Structure formats: C-alpha cells, structure tokens
Amino acid sequence: MANTPEDRIPVIVGVGEIVDRPKEITEGLEPLDLLELALRRAEQDAGARLLGEVQSLDVVNFLSWRYRDPEKLLAQRLGVSPAHCYYGPVGGESPIRYIHEAAKRIASGECMVAAICGAEAQSTVTKAERAGVKLPWTPFAHDVEEPKRGAAFQKPLAVKLGVFRPVTVYPFYEAASSAHWGQTPREAMAESGTLWSRYSEAAMQNPNAWLKRRYAPEEITTPTADNRLIAWPYNKLMVANPSVNMGGALLLTSLAKARALGIAEDKLIYPLGGASAEEPRDYLLRDQFYESHPQNAVLNAVMDLAGGDGKKFDAIELYSCFPCVPKMARRTLGLGADVQPTVTGGLTFFGAPLNTYMTHAACAMVRRLRDGASLGLLYGQGGFVTKHHALVVSKTPPREALAQETSVQGEADRNKRAVPEFVTEANGRGKVESFTVLYGRGGDVEHGVVMLRIEDDRRTLARIPARDSASLEHLLNMDRTPVGSIGEITMAADGTPEWRVT
C-alpha cells in the first residue's frame, strides 16, 4: 500500500439490506423501493453522506417486475447523474463482478463513490398474481423486452426434453462429478445434505434470512409432500428459493475520502483482487460435466492472492444454487468436507432474490470481517455453471494496487479438451455421460433424460419414458452410479432419441 495513493485504494464503507414481509399484498414494496431503501441503509451504515456523490451506479438485473431504464429511475430518486449508470444482464455472479469493477474504477481514478444494489419482490408478485390483485406500483413496462435466460441459448432437443432450466441442468454436473470422485449416489446425497444443513445453520443466525431454522441433513435429502423431488437428485430443499422480497446494497469509496469523511477505520473493508471466466452459454458445447474449467481458473487465481492456499480464507461464500457448485468449488480450493461454505445462509434458506443473492452475501461478508475475520472469499456464478467471478476482501489494507486485468479466460480455455459433436438422431449403443429424472408436482416421474456418448464419441440426449421402469430403476440405484453404463438407443415416433438399459 506504501506506493499507492490513498485516493486510489478502494474500500467498502457501507452495506444495507431490507427484507419485506407485508401483511397485506398491496403493502408490498416494489423493487425500486427496495433498492432505494437498501442504499439509504448502506449510507447510514457508513455514517457519512455519500449517496449524493455517487458517480458509479450498478443495478443487478431483477425479474419480478419490469421497468424501463430502472437504473435511471433509481438515479433520479437519489438525485444523482452518475457517469457510469448500468443495469446489467441476468447472472448470479454479477453482483461480485459489479463490486470488483467499481473497485477498479476507484483504483484507476475514474470515480470516487460507487454504489451496487439489487432487489426482488417475487413473493409479493406471485401472491398478487394468484389472488388477482393489482399492485399499486410503477406500471409494468410491457414494451420492455424480457431478458434472455437459459432456454434462449440451448439446443432444441434440450428444450424438448425439459433440460433447459437450472433445476434440470445442474443435475448433469451433480451426477458426473460425484461419479468422477468415486462416490456412490448415496454418498453424494449424504454430502449434499450435510453441506446444505450448514447453509441452513448460517441462515438461522442471519437476521435478513427468509427461512430462519436449521434443517438436519436427512430433512433436506428425504422427499416428502413439502420437500418434493423436482429433478433427480434434487428436492425442493436443495434448490434456490426465489419467492422472497429483498434488497441489498454496498457503497464504495477511496481510502482518502473515507478518512476525510471520518468513517471509522474498523468499518473499512478492502477488495484485494479477483478473477472471472466463462463457459459457452449452450451447456452442450462443453467438453465434460465433472468439473468447470472457468470455475477452476477463477478459484485458483484467487487462491494465488491468498498465498496459494484456500485454507487462508477464514470467511467463505460459495455460491449455492445447487449442491454440485460448492462441492466442486471446495475441492478446487483444497478444502475438506468440514468446510463452512457460507457467511449468509445459501440460496435455499437465506433466500434467492435471483441474480442478487451475492449482493447480500457481500453485505454478510463485510459484517463478518468487521466482526473479526481477516480474509474473505466471495465466489459467485451464473447461468448453468456458466459465468464465474470471485473476489477477495480483507480487513487489512492491500500491499499493492488493485489489478485492472482480472480475466483468467485464457487459463480456462487452455484446459478445455475436445468438445464432442452433438447429434439429434442416434441408433445403437449409447454410454451414459450423465443423467437426471424429472418429476411432476405430485411426485410422479415424468421421464428420465440421459446425456450419452455414442459412436465416434459424439454426444446426444435421450429420453427414458416413465413406462420404462427397468431403465429408471437403473438410473436411480443409490449404491451404484449409472454413469458409464451402456444401453440401446432408438428413435421414437416423435423423432426423439430414447434409451433403455441393456
């Protein structure tokens, strides 16, 4: 830090959160309200007047309500005209990216005060739709295009078979990675339950969490009427919970300005650096599903900032939309099964305000560092294990200037192996690369889906009809993974490949 001017050292100085649980549906706060309130709470937390000087404003994409230029509407509410005023695309990693980019702007002298915020009001919106209640909010902008999400980037066969949403795609990583690690499905399920129980314990301690109680591992992994199977092996308590009303915000400035404003030194949290990388958005254009090269590259880069040892982080947030993500991440970081993976509570239990969970995780991390932790890791991801961004934050000032170049895409791409050709028609033998089984709301099997390697190592997807109990039983064997097993592919009358175990 000795050679870096204090006006080029970024610090997080304020965090603010709001949870809205209205007694009446029409009393629910709209996302713009939640954004503004979270920012004002962040300013109050900093203990200094900063909102009137915001020069960089990032608003995380929200899906519960649609506005035209929400970032400009928010800036108007704050009475500012920031040079950088941005409303981003869909992506669970985006809050960490925005915090990191804001810190880089301060480090480069591009701005002096930055704000990052996100909000969702999905709980209120869903209740209003079900009750037929009109919300007294800013009119919904029907002329604004809906943001592109998973199905827009996937192959028609994936959409036809129902494996184009997060809850039906992440199971491919779950099955492939656990098989690669030599786990039986039963062992993999037990690891998921134990890990998720730890997330619930953290949520129980977080005053801003949506669900504030500990769930035992077996409660999480056992299907019940209230914890129904959605896509094997994931039950409702193993997936993100988007039906929440939440807002979160962070304020950053330079060390020089923080000190000039008299902000207490013990409130200052320093971004030390981070990294980002991506996979193709079409998940079938990936070489395999037992690891993520971008995830590995990003986590290895941030470990380098901690002296090459993941155990140096004494506060960690591993993104938790589905268990496979933190399970892969903790192995890359060299952390054991006893890892404490969250300071927040996870997307199931704290709640998942869609793209902005990591805004709340960053707020929780700041509080944890202020309370005594020394080095924190914030790892977020978006899409289908697609976009990855991690940031290291510290109670201690940095030893050198914040790096401006933070992409590790080259490293991720160097580790990528040949991607198999994808075909939509196949006959003959097919070896299971990964799989899932989709369930209806009543708990009945809709159909199974297998990802297969066929002749010449090409890849396809195939359906297992609900009537094929033998093949489904083979997939759902808890004591032996079906990954690597071989069966017969035929083309159904509707032109869809079907697979049966042989």
Side-chain angles (χ1 to χ4, degrees), residues 426-430 454 487-490 498-499:
N427 282 283
R429 290 159 64 84
I454 58 174
E488 194 72 20
I489 309 170
T490 56
E498 291 189 350
W499 183 89

Side-chain angles (χ1 to χ4, degrees), residues 329-403:
R330 69 100 172 158
R331 285 170 167 84
T332 301
L333 291 165
L335 304 175
D338 60 347
V339 65
Q340 177 50 49
T342 182
V343 294
T344 315
L347 280 83
T348 301
F349 309 104
F350 173 85
L354 295 168
N355 300 299
T356 195
Y357 170 82
M358 289 305 294
T359 308
H360 295 274
C363 292
M365 182 64 76
V366 166
R367 292 193 297 269
R368 179 63 60 87
L369 291 169
R370 286 173 176 175
D371 288 344
S374 59
L375 192 66
L377 169 61
L378 289 161
Y379 161 64
Q381 68 98 56
F384 305 145
V385 199
T386 306
K387 298 181 283 184
H388 306 261
H389 205 116
L391 180 67
V392 178
V393 287
S394 173
K395 185 81 182 221
T396 307
R399 295 178 181 174
E400 53 191 39
L402 188 69

Side-chain angles (χ1 to χ4, degrees), residues 6 12 45 64 75 81 84 111 135 148 158 183 195 198 230 270 277 285 302 337 348 357 373-374 379 381 397 403 459:
E6 288 190 356
I12 301 170
D45 175 65
S64 53
S81 301
H84 172 87
C111 84
L135 292 166
K148 286 187 177 181
Q183 290 181 314
L195 188 68
R198 290 199 192 114
I230 300 174
Y270 298 86
L285 294 179
V302 292
T348 301
Y357 170 82
S374 59
Y379 161 64
Q381 68 98 56
R459 175 184 284 153

Side-chain angles (χ1 to χ4, degrees), residues 243-488:
S243 190
V244 299
N245 302 323
M246 293 176 165
L250 296 96
L251 290 171
L252 287 79
T253 188
S254 70
L255 178 59
K257 188 167 184 65
R259 285 176 170 167
L261 289 169
I263 297 174
E265 293 284 334
D266 61 2
K267 283 196 169 184
L268 308 182
I269 301 301
Y270 298 86
L272 299 189
S276 64
E278 297 186 2
E279 291 270 23
R281 292 191 174 188
D282 179 349
Y283 69 89
L284 290 167
L285 294 179
R286 300 176 191 175
D287 60 346
Q288 44 66 45
F289 292 85
Y290 55 81
E291 65 178 340
S292 164
H293 303 307
Q295 182 193 61
N296 290 343
V298 164
L299 293 176
N300 283 322
V302 292
M303 268 199 296
D304 287 344
L305 291 171
D309 186 357
K311 296 182 178 67
K312 293 284 183 66
F313 298 112
D314 56 354
I316 294 176
E317 186 68 45
L318 300 180
Y319 199 78
S320 52
C321 49
F322 301 93
C324 60
V325 177
K327 289 202 287 188
M328 291 192 297
R330 69 100 172 158
R331 285 170 167 84
T332 301
L333 291 165
L335 304 175
D338 60 347
V339 65
Q340 177 50 49
T342 182
V343 294
T344 315
L347 280 83
T348 301
F349 309 104
F350 173 85
L354 295 168
N355 300 299
T356 195
Y357 170 82
M358 289 305 294
T359 308
H360 295 274
C363 292
M365 182 64 76
V366 166
R367 292 193 297 269
R368 179 63 60 87
L369 291 169
R370 286 173 176 175
D371 288 344
S374 59
L375 192 66
L377 169 61
L378 289 161
Y379 161 64
Q381 68 98 56
F384 305 145
V385 199
T386 306
K387 298 181 283 184
H388 306 261
H389 205 116
L391 180 67
V392 178
V393 287
S394 173
K395 185 81 182 221
T396 307
R399 295 178 181 174
E400 53 191 39
L402 188 69
Q404 290 293 321
E405 179 50 54
T406 54
S407 171
V408 290
Q409 192 64 48
E411 179 65 20
D413 293 343
R414 274 192 293 276
N415 291 317
K416 189 173 183 178
R417 295 173 283 278
V419 175
E421 177 190 357
F422 186 83
V423 295
T424 57
E425 295 184 10
N427 282 283
R429 290 159 64 84
K431 184 162 99 174
V432 176
E433 183 176 10
S434 194
F435 76 98
T436 188
V437 176
L438 311 187
Y439 293 81
R441 296 192 71 85
D444 296 326
V445 171
E446 292 184 344
H447 62 270
V449 182
V450 284
M451 184 185 294
L452 301 168
R453 292 295 185 97
I454 58 174
E455 185 183 1
D456 299 329
D457 210 32
R458 292 175 295 169
R459 175 184 284 153
T460 193
L461 294 171
R463 175 175 59 210
I464 299 176
R467 65 178 181 275
D468 186 355
S469 56
S471 296
L472 289 169
E473 185 178 337
H474 174 73
L475 288 190
L476 300 176
N477 186 325
M478 292 296 289
D479 297 307
R480 185 185 63 228
T481 179
V483 173
S485 61
I486 295 173
E488 194 72 20

